[in-house]
Amino acid sequence: MSETDIFKVLADPTRRAVLEKLAAAEMTATELRDGFAISQPAMSQHLAVLRGAGLISERREGRYAHYRVAPEGLAPLHQWLAKYEAFWPSRIDNLRDLLREMDQ
Amino acid sequence: MSETDIFKVLADPTRRAVLEKLAAAEMTATELRDGFAISQPAMSQHLAVLRGAGLISERREGRYAHYRVAPEGLAPLHQWLAKYEAFWPSRIDNLRDLLREMDQ
DNA sequence: GCATCACATAAGCATAGACTTATGAGTCGT
DNA sequence: ACGACTCATAAGTCTATGCTTATGTGATGC
């Protein structure tokens, strides 16, 4: 997956919202859909795109498709961003704050 | 700048390449252009988009426009990504340890 | 003053992408 | 077996976007 593709995939607000829901818990396509004013095929297409980008993985169970985040798919984005963290003087402080929050 | 806009802006390979050139050194629009098989207006439009997203800043000097990276524009992206770093167990633990050492 | 240069803006075009409705392919309960 | 259900795929539409050529704006040098 190229960096361009990763960015394109994440440029869609619906897809980012899906990731956010999946970050909380594994979910089926229908469960993911509610809360969105979107057709079933539209959600299916978004899931296909996310899956193609390696950002989510699928577990088939009968007629249900359970999806969960595949965080390693975010690695290219992380690596890209790392190139610019040299420009963040306070980057260590930000991380420190983040980890402090996570400890709570 | 919304997260969606940031991702859209960075989804273009030319724009990311521009950022990479600017990460090395401040540069004029013409200097940025060479190496790209792209018209002058196209580059000008890309620069306008990057500027609109707060990812680069402009310094006017006579007829030249000098551009440089505005890394703070990447903050929304950084914050978004941080939400998923929780899924990176080993890396985050390493960072936690590192920062703990630095605190002593 | 005038040609040239650096860059921006306007307008038009062509492709990509997100959506829709319609339909297909399996799976489950009765 | 059959209808309901979950999800995927097909086909068509509409908008966004990245490109082009043409032109505008201001600065510079002779």
Side-chain angles (χ1 to χ4, degrees):
Chain A
M1 260 298 134
S2 75
E3 285 174 346
T4 296
D5 291 326
I6 296 279
F7 277 108
K8 277 186 186 173
V9 168
L10 294 174
D12 185 277
T14 302
R15 286 196 286 264
R16 286 202 315 283
V18 164
L19 279 185
E20 219 151 316
K21 287 187 84 171
L22 289 181
E26 182 179 283
M27 231 171 279
T28 67
T30 303
E31 285 169 342
L32 280 169
R33 190 155 94 87
D34 61 56
F36 293 99
I38 209 180
S39 68
Q40 176 267 319
M43 177 57 75
S44 184
Q45 285 159 16
H46 281 308
L47 291 170
V49 170
L50 284 165
R51 198 171 184 282
L55 291 170
I56 63 176
S57 66
E58 193 189 78
R59 178 172 65 84
R60 229 51 193 278
E61 194 174 350
R63 54 182 158 176
Y64 296 93
H66 299 267
Y67 291 97
R68 61 170 194 271
V69 285
E72 64 277 11
L74 289 173
L77 183 59
H78 198 271
Q79 285 161 14
W80 183 86
L81 195 55
K83 293 188 292 192
Y84 298 93
E85 283 180 352
F87 289 89
W88 250 299
S90 59
R91 68 191 190 279
I92 291 294
D93 290 340
N94 289 344
L95 272 170
R96 207 189 305 271
D97 291 345
L98 171 68
L99 293 176
R100 204 158 278 150
E101 279 174 33
M102 289 174 59
D103 276 339
Q104 289 168 2
Chain B
M1 259 298 136
S2 76
E3 286 174 346
T4 295
D5 290 326
I6 296 280
F7 277 108
K8 277 187 187 173
V9 168
L10 294 175
D12 185 277
T14 302
R15 285 195 286 263
R16 287 201 315 284
V18 164
L19 279 186
E20 219 151 315
K21 288 187 81 170
L22 289 181
E26 182 179 281
M27 231 170 279
T28 67
T30 302
E31 286 169 342
L32 281 170
R33 190 155 94 88
D34 60 57
F36 294 98
I38 209 181
S39 69
Q40 176 267 318
M43 176 57 76
S44 186
Q45 285 158 16
H46 281 308
L47 291 170
V49 170
L50 285 166
R51 197 171 184 281
L55 292 170
I56 62 175
S57 66
E58 193 189 78
R59 178 173 64 82
R60 228 50 193 277
E61 195 175 347
R63 54 181 159 176
Y64 296 93
H66 299 267
Y67 291 96
R68 60 170 195 270
V69 284
E72 64 276 12
L74 289 173
L77 183 59
H78 197 271
Q79 285 162 14
W80 183 87
L81 195 54
K83 293 188 291 191
Y84 298 92
E85 284 181 354
F87 288 89
W88 256 295
S90 57
R91 291 177 71 131
I92 211 72
D93 287 343
N94 290 344
L95 274 171
R96 205 189 304 271
D97 292 345
L98 173 66
L99 293 176
R100 204 159 276 151
E101 282 174 31
M102 289 172 62
D103 274 341
Q104 290 168 358

